[in-house]
Amino acid sequence: MSGYDVRMVVLSTDNLDESIQFYTETLGMPLKFRDGTHFAALDGGSITIALATAVDHPMPGQVVVGIKTGDVDAAAQAVEANGGGIVKVPYNDAHERRAVAYDNKGNGLVFYSPLAQ
């Protein structure tokens, strides 16, 4: 097994309420978490479907894959060394260490690791 675990797909929205309504009512996905008017997480089974406005979306307008890893910095370095690029260098936010990148074809990636508590 690799040191990477795909856990989330982040979708863009310009209206969080409408997007939550679509996924909960149309597809029956339970709401797991909501952060104001800019981010929500829905239970998509083995993958979380995240809905984010430009306030919280790592690459607004793109579908981004969220990948949990034990070493965000090494993941970012590997991507950059092999034809991808870094949008936002590794940094700590309130809950996790994160890096925003794109693969060798421009697809969005977010590597993250929870911070020790």
Side-chain angles (χ1 to χ4, degrees):
M1 180 175 144
S2 77
Y4 302 106
D5 186 12
V6 176
R7 302 292 298 266
M8 182 180 306
V9 174
V10 185
L11 305 176
S12 286
T13 182
D14 60 358
N15 186 312
L16 192 63
D17 289 328
E18 288 178 3
S19 293
I20 290 171
Q21 182 178 357
F22 177 85
Y23 282 91
T24 58
E25 294 180 13
T26 305
L27 300 178
M29 293 181 176
L31 180 66
K32 293 170 48 173
F33 173 79
R34 181 178 181 148
D35 188 2
T37 59
H38 49 90
F39 183 87
L42 298 140
D43 186 349
S46 59
I47 301 279
T48 295
I49 301 296
L51 305 169
T53 66
V55 171
D56 259 354
H57 199 292
M59 298 173 85
Q62 289 194 30
V63 173
V64 176
V65 177
I67 303 170
K68 187 176 181 180
T69 182
D71 192 341
V72 170
D73 296 73
Q77 290 171 356
V79 165
E80 192 168 40
N82 289 284
I86 303 301
V87 175
K88 197 165 190 180
V89 298
Y91 65 98
N92 291 348
D93 70 6
H95 308 286
E96 61 195 16
R97 183 145 182 87
R98 186 183 301 175
V100 180
Y102 54 89
D103 69 11
N104 63 327
K105 299 297 183 187
N107 298 298
L109 305 171
V110 173
F111 294 99
Y112 69 95
S113 181
L115 294 174
Q117 296 184 8

